């Protein structure tokens, strides 16, 4: 059994679930439209450039979760899944998941996006486990702070290493599929790195290193 590891946003999904959640909050009138959209777009551009301050972004992104109890958040997320995430799903991505599943591989999503957003998406995709940025929960409510190391850039490698220490897996024969230059540290750590609909910088890096470059878009 090999590990088949997948980034989520813009890899298995045709879009970014984190940015899309911010848009959902704007459209529902939960946050102030002009300021929140401007900030959401700004942070997304920094992410794409590989320049994001992850802690600054998480302070912004997690704050709205503090305003609702878990039941309210679940109701909101269920609607978000139906209206926003379902249209982002890619048949070729799910075929790739099935290919690895049929090979007997262990399917793992690793994502910088927080677990509140991504946990239900991973469940819907039927993967075996997910490593995501964790948001702190105190007395069954989100505090607006992170818990542990954000699952971002080198933090993905650290979080995966800790996960491997607690699970009966290793990186021998492992795959990692990603679109983003932010994931270069983890791509360099696996046996089979694959660039998926890669951004300009990752595409150049992948071609230089002779890594496979594929598309999961129709």
């Amino acid at each position: 059994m090999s590990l088949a590891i997948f980034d989520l946003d813009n890899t298995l999904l045709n879009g970014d679930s984190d940015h899309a959640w911010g848009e959902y909050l704007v459209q529902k009138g939960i946050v102030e439209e002009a300021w929140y959209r401007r900030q959401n777009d700004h942070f997304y551009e920094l992410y794409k450039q590989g320049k994001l301050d992850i802690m600054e972004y998480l302070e912004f992104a997690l704050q709205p979760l503090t305003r609702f109890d878990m039941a309210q958040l679940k109701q909101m997320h269920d609607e978000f899944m139906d209206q926003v995430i379902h249209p982002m799903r890619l048949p070729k991505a799910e075929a790739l998941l099935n290919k690895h599943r049929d090979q007997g591989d262990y399917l793992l999503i690793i994502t910088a996006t927080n677990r509140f957003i991504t946990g239900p998406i991973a469940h819907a995709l039927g993967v075996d486990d997910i490593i995501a940025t964790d948001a702190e929960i105190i007395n069954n409510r989100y505090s607006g702070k992170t818990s542990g190391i954000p699952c971002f850039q080198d933090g993905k490698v650290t979080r995966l290493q800790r996960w491997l220490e607690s699970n009966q897996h290793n990186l021998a024969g492992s795959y990692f599929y990603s679109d983003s230059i932010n994931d270069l540290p983890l791509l360099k750590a696996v046996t089979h790195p694959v660039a998926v609909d890669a951004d300009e910088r990752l595409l150049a890096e992948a071609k230089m290193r002779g890594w496979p470059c594929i598309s999961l878009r129709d």
Side-chain angles (χ1 to χ4, degrees):
M1 178 185 289
S2 296
L3 267 181
I5 310 168
F6 303 85
D7 177 50
L8 179 64
D9 298 312
N10 289 308
T11 301
L12 293 178
L13 295 178
N14 185 15
D16 186 284
S17 62
D18 215 354
H19 182 264
W21 173 255
E23 276 294 305
Y24 171 83
L25 295 178
V26 167
Q27 291 166 12
K28 291 294 175 182
I30 293 167
V31 293
E32 196 279 316
E33 179 177 357
W35 178 82
Y36 199 91
R37 176 171 281 147
R38 185 168 60 249
Q39 291 296 102
N40 196 39
D41 290 347
H42 172 67
F43 283 122
Y44 189 37
E45 286 304 312
L46 290 175
Y47 170 80
K48 289 189 287 185
Q49 295 168 21
K51 299 177 180 179
L52 181 66
D53 180 328
I54 189 62
M55 297 308 294
E56 182 183 8
Y57 171 67
L58 288 169
E59 182 178 355
F60 162 80
L62 297 178
Q63 195 283 328
L65 300 183
T66 67
R67 296 163 50 185
F68 303 95
D69 63 31
M70 293 299 184
Q72 291 171 313
L73 288 171
K74 182 182 184 307
Q75 185 176 20
M76 292 162 60
H77 198 288
D78 287 347
E79 183 178 72
F80 174 68
M81 287 287 292
D82 289 339
Q83 295 182 359
V84 181
I85 296 301
H86 181 71
M88 287 186 183
R89 292 175 67 165
L90 294 164
K92 289 183 180 179
E94 299 192 31
L96 180 61
L97 290 171
N98 284 331
K99 175 186 173 183
H100 281 284
R101 194 176 286 117
D102 292 343
Q103 289 174 184
D105 297 331
Y106 190 96
L107 275 56
L108 176 67
I109 286 174
I110 185 162
T111 176
T113 302
N114 71 77
R115 188 178 298 271
F116 164 74
I117 293 173
T118 58
I121 302 173
H123 178 75
L125 292 173
V127 301
D128 296 299
D129 205 352
I130 180 172
I131 303 172
T133 296
D134 291 308
E136 183 182 63
I137 298 172
I138 298 175
N139 297 326
N140 206 37
R141 289 188 74 107
Y142 286 101
S143 71
K145 299 179 181 178
T146 56
S147 177
I149 297 170
C151 194
F152 179 65
Q153 295 182 344
D154 288 317
K156 278 195 176 181
V157 178
T158 301
R159 291 287 305 277
L160 177 60
Q161 289 172 339
R162 292 184 179 181
W163 183 89
L164 290 170
E165 291 169 2
S166 303
N167 293 270
Q168 300 300 311
H169 298 282
N170 58 59
L171 293 181
S174 57
Y175 296 79
F176 180 42
Y177 297 86
S178 177
D179 72 292
S180 175
I181 191 64
N182 290 291
D183 286 338
L184 186 59
L186 184 51
L187 284 161
K188 289 160 62 175
V190 300
T191 306
H192 303 290
V194 182
V196 180
D197 297 295
D199 63 41
E200 185 175 338
R201 290 173 62 195
L202 178 58
L203 185 61
E205 188 80 23
K207 287 181 176 179
M208 181 188 72
R209 294 174 177 271
W211 294 344
C213 300
I214 66 171
S215 176
L216 298 178
R217 311 291 171 92
D218 290 325

